[in-house]
Amino acid sequence: EDLRLQMDRARRSAEHIRTCLAPFQTTPVPENDSLPILLKVADGLARNLQERKLAIQDIHRQLHQLSAEKRQTKRDECMSRLDGWAQRWTAVVSELLLPVGRTPEQVGDAIAVLEKVFGHLKDAENLQHRVNRIGENIDLFEKRVAVLVAAIDLSLATSSPDVAVTEMHSRLVRTGKAETERKTLEEQNARDEDVIAGHAIKVQRSEATLKRLMDLARCNSTQELEVTITYSEQKAEKRDEYERIAQGLIERNAAPDVRKVEEEASSHHLDSLQTAITSSENRQKELQDEVFKAGSEYGTLLQDFERLQASDESTVQAQKAEDALGRVRPALAHYLRLQLASEVLQRAIESYREKHQGPVLSRASELFSTLTLGDYCGLTTGFGDNDKAVLVAIRRSKETVEIDGLSDGTRDQMYLALRLAAIEHHVETVSPCPVILDDILINADNARASATLKVLSDLAKRTQVLFFTHHRHLEELGRAADAQIIELNSSPVIAHAERIGTEAIV
């Protein structure tokens, strides 16, 4: 309640102070100002009024002290001084050709304008002098350029300096480029000469080595030496393969010498062995069935054995068992011999396949992985539903996929990998041959097409490769693979190719 009363008193006091301040201020005091602010404003106004009151009193006191005679005398003195100054001012204004009665401010503005005018005139004189000097310099420069151009090239003597300088600068740039190219070619020539010298030394060494090899092999030409080396390598491979097979046969047959195994195997023919293996496999199945049956009968016989163990019938049954064992032993020995012969024959077949088909299949596996950008890691052989060897693809996840499960593009790339592997094998073992391909990338995207063109580029380093296509987007991919692009559209010899719009990437 006391606080409320104090706030009411403060509000009334503020209203009273605001009312008192209104006659002394041009702008009214805002109604939302607090009492302390109003007190400060009133205090400042009071001090200001007090200072003004003291100033007025001081002025009244000074005026009271001044007499009328002194003020009149001072006024007359000031008027006489003003007349003298006016006479001198009129003479100065007349000299400046200005109308009489101009004030000092107007005369000062006119003088400032005159100073600017004189400054501009001085600048104009300087500029005129510079222009005259520049013209003289231009004339001197043109004369010197004309003399220099006439001394360098008479054909440019009639040209303007700008045209002559531009032409000479162009010639200078071309000369600099030619000089740089000349130095580059000289450096390249020096490097090529060093390389040629090094190759010449290698050729001499190679010829000396080749001469020794020909002397050792008793050959009269390099062709005979190549044939001899090929026969030697084949002989070494045959010897290694023979020793490996012989060691395997010795270990499997526990024979002291491979001749024993050869003598034993020579008495059998491959056809009869295949028939014997088939019959042995059938016999093995029958024996397995008999083993299962014997196992089931074993429990019954065990019970009968326990029952008959104490009787005379056990002797009779034991004799029957011995007879059955005697009949089984020859059959088991015959089965083991047939199983061993089947294993030897299978290993011989695998060895022949690895020798004649393994390198091509291995290279085809590498090419297939490259052509599919690693989506498939290779090729291998498997067995189909009829137990025949089939070709399967291996995914990146090691999952095998048969040919029927591949897409059209992937299947085409697998066939291409097999064909390229066979071609490379022929080139390496027999002789180079031209390879002609026609639009083999129809079902391939740009990425796989680029990989295929790079493989063909590598093959082109060893033999001639011609690749025909009518797809324009393969041109850029071929350029990226360092292929030579030949567009068949201008020669009359290839008019038929022009009609069908065929292009060739070589």
Side-chain angles (χ1 to χ4, degrees), residues 372-501:
T372 58
L373 302 177
D375 294 339
Y376 292 84
C377 59
L379 300 172
T380 187
T381 55
F383 293 95
D385 298 335
N386 54 358
D387 293 335
K388 290 185 178 181
V390 295
L391 188 65
V392 294
I394 304 175
R395 293 184 184 271
R396 186 184 301 174
S397 59
K398 304 304 180 182
E399 178 186 359
T400 58
V401 182
E402 293 186 0
I403 297 177
D404 296 336
L406 299 176
S407 63
D408 294 338
T410 305
R411 190 183 301 114
D412 292 344
Q413 287 166 344
M414 185 184 71
Y415 293 150
L416 178 61
L418 292 170
R419 183 61 58 87
L420 291 178
I423 292 173
E424 290 182 356
H425 183 71
H426 178 82
V427 170
E428 293 175 356
T429 57
V430 182
S431 63
C433 60
V435 181
I436 302 176
L437 306 170
D438 184 14
D439 262 341
I440 60 173
L441 301 177
I442 296 178
N443 297 323
D445 54 14
N446 288 342
R448 292 191 175 185
S450 179
T452 304
L453 292 175
K454 290 181 180 178
V455 171
L456 294 179
S457 178
D458 294 337
L459 179 59
K461 297 176 181 178
R462 291 171 284 178
T463 186
Q464 184 181 23
V465 179
L466 300 176
F467 175 43
F468 293 88
T469 180
H470 64 278
H471 294 283
R472 178 67 66 177
H473 71 279
L474 295 179
E475 181 178 355
E476 296 299 329
L477 300 179
R479 295 184 187 278
D482 297 333
Q484 180 184 359
I485 309 300
I486 299 177
E487 187 171 355
L488 305 180
N489 58 3
S490 60
S491 177
V493 181
I494 53 172
H496 178 68
E498 183 179 12
R499 288 196 298 272
I500 64 175

Side-chain angles (χ1 to χ4, degrees), residues 53-84:
K53 182 179 179 181
L54 293 175
I56 292 171
Q57 290 176 358
D58 188 28
I59 292 172
H60 284 298
R61 187 169 53 255
Q62 291 178 2
L63 289 175
H64 185 269
Q65 292 176 358
L66 294 174
S67 61
E69 294 80 5
K70 291 181 178 180
R71 289 197 294 272
Q72 185 64 33
T73 303
K74 190 173 182 179
R75 178 178 176 277
D76 294 340
E77 183 182 355
C78 289
M79 290 299 294
S80 63
R81 290 175 62 186
L82 180 61
D83 292 338

Side-chain angles (χ1 to χ4, degrees), residues 16 31 36 41 58 89 95 162 202 226 347 361 390 459:
H16 179 66
E31 296 181 357
V41 173
D58 188 28
W89 176 253
E95 292 179 359
D162 296 337
K202 292 181 180 179
E226 291 178 359
R347 288 182 179 271
L361 184 61
V390 295
L459 179 59

Side-chain angles (χ1 to χ4, degrees), residues 90-109:
T90 302
V92 173
V93 172
S94 300
E95 292 179 359
L96 294 175
L97 301 178
L98 295 174
V100 180
R102 292 287 183 177
T103 62
E105 290 79 8
Q106 294 174 348
V107 174
D109 294 339

Side-chain angles (χ1 to χ4, degrees), residues 280-331:
S280 298
E281 290 177 351
N282 296 331
R283 180 57 181 167
Q284 181 183 5
K285 294 180 180 179
E286 294 176 357
L287 291 176
Q288 288 178 351
D289 296 336
E290 291 180 2
V291 168
F292 290 139
K293 292 180 181 178
S296 62
E297 293 176 358
Y298 174 75
T300 304
L301 294 176
L302 183 61
Q303 294 177 357
D304 294 339
F305 175 74
E306 293 177 351
R307 181 174 56 80
L308 296 174
Q309 189 174 7
S311 62
D312 296 338
E313 189 176 355
S314 60
T315 304
V316 177
Q317 296 296 333
Q319 183 63 36
K320 290 182 180 180
E322 291 292 335
D323 295 339
L325 183 61
R327 291 193 302 272
V328 168
R329 284 176 178 172

Side-chain angles (χ1 to χ4, degrees), residues 177-246:
K177 292 182 179 179
E179 182 65 20
T180 303
E181 185 176 1
R182 185 185 64 80
K183 292 181 179 179
T184 304
L185 293 175
E186 288 179 353
E187 294 174 357
Q188 182 66 31
N189 189 20
R191 290 195 295 268
D192 293 341
E193 288 179 355
D194 294 338
V195 173
I196 291 173
H199 286 304
I201 295 173
K202 292 181 180 179
V203 168
Q204 293 177 358
R205 295 177 180 175
S206 301
E207 289 178 352
T209 304
L210 183 64
K211 184 64 172 57
R212 290 196 298 270
L213 290 176
M214 293 176 63
D215 294 339
L216 292 174
R218 297 179 181 177
C219 299
N220 297 324
S221 62
T222 56
Q223 290 79 8
E224 294 181 2
L225 180 61
E226 291 178 359
V227 174
T228 304
I229 292 174
T230 302
Y231 288 158
S232 178
E233 292 176 352
Q234 293 177 357
K235 183 178 180 181
E237 292 177 358
K238 295 287 186 180
R239 185 185 300 107
D240 294 339
E241 183 179 3
Y242 175 79
E243 292 177 356
R244 181 176 58 82
I245 295 174

